[in-house]
Amino acid sequence: VFMRLDGHCKGLAVLVLLSLPLAALAQYNYTTNSPDTNTITITGYTGPGGAVVIPSNIVGKTVTVIGNSAFRFCGNLTSVTIPGSVDLIGTYAFASCSNMTSVAIPESVTNVGAYAFGFCGSLTSVVIPDGVHDIYAFTFLGCTNLVNVTIGTGVTNIRDRAFWVCSSLTNVTIPDNVVM
């Protein structure tokens, strides 16, 4: 609803409209990967949680990395969708997100760090895309409700204890080229 206030309506309306996306983007702490590359690493999250869709761009820079511990201990996070611009999920990136039931990892991801989803006790299913080569030690440690795992054809190595204490794990699809 727009109201005209002495000719200031247009400026105020534009300001309000521009501030809405910025408020959503303000939920992310980030660092620039390099002054020359125009890419960033998300280093933290301060939003309300729920179903989070991580943006592919923040302040005109492309999000390429979910940094170490960026979402760690976000107990209010219920699901996360990672954009196709991301190629790295850092160590402990989503660790201890105790209410996260699902995660959408895009094909662009080539590396998922150790403990990245450790102690996500509500996580029930995960698909590891073809671009990932290694599943590091303890990546899914303590995901006690994890039932289904589909491992992409690019994975050649599953490290020791990658799925340790995943007591509900009953369905795992592992490609033939994996060395354990």
Side-chain angles (χ1 to χ4, degrees), residues 89-100:
I89 299 172
T91 302
Y92 293 104
F94 295 95
S96 299
C97 290
S98 57
N99 290 309
M100 184 169 66

Side-chain angles (χ1 to χ4, degrees), residues 52 54 79-84 89 94 100 102-107 109 117 123 125-127 129:
V52 172
I54 298 171
S79 68
V80 66
T81 301
I82 300 168
I89 299 172
F94 295 95
M100 184 169 66
S102 67
V103 59
I105 303 172
E107 290 292 328
V109 171
F117 298 97
L123 190 63
S125 181
V126 68
V127 175

Side-chain angles (χ1 to χ4, degrees), residues 13-103:
V14 170
L15 179 63
V16 168
L17 289 174
L18 288 176
S19 68
L20 292 176
L22 293 177
L25 296 179
Q27 300 172 3
Y28 300 96
N29 299 328
Y30 60 89
T31 59
T32 302
N33 293 335
S34 171
D36 301 326
T37 64
N38 204 29
T39 63
I40 62 173
T41 295
I42 291 179
T43 58
Y45 175 73
T46 60
V52 172
V53 178
I54 298 171
S56 60
N57 287 285
I58 296 176
V59 296
K61 295 181 184 280
T62 303
V63 176
T64 58
V65 177
I66 307 300
N68 297 343
S69 300
F71 289 81
R72 190 175 186 184
F73 299 117
C74 288
N76 53 355
L77 189 68
T78 58
S79 68
V80 66
T81 301
I82 300 168
S85 59
V86 170
D87 59 13
L88 174 86
I89 299 172
T91 302
Y92 293 104
F94 295 95
S96 299
C97 290
S98 57
N99 290 309
M100 184 169 66
T101 59
S102 67
V103 59

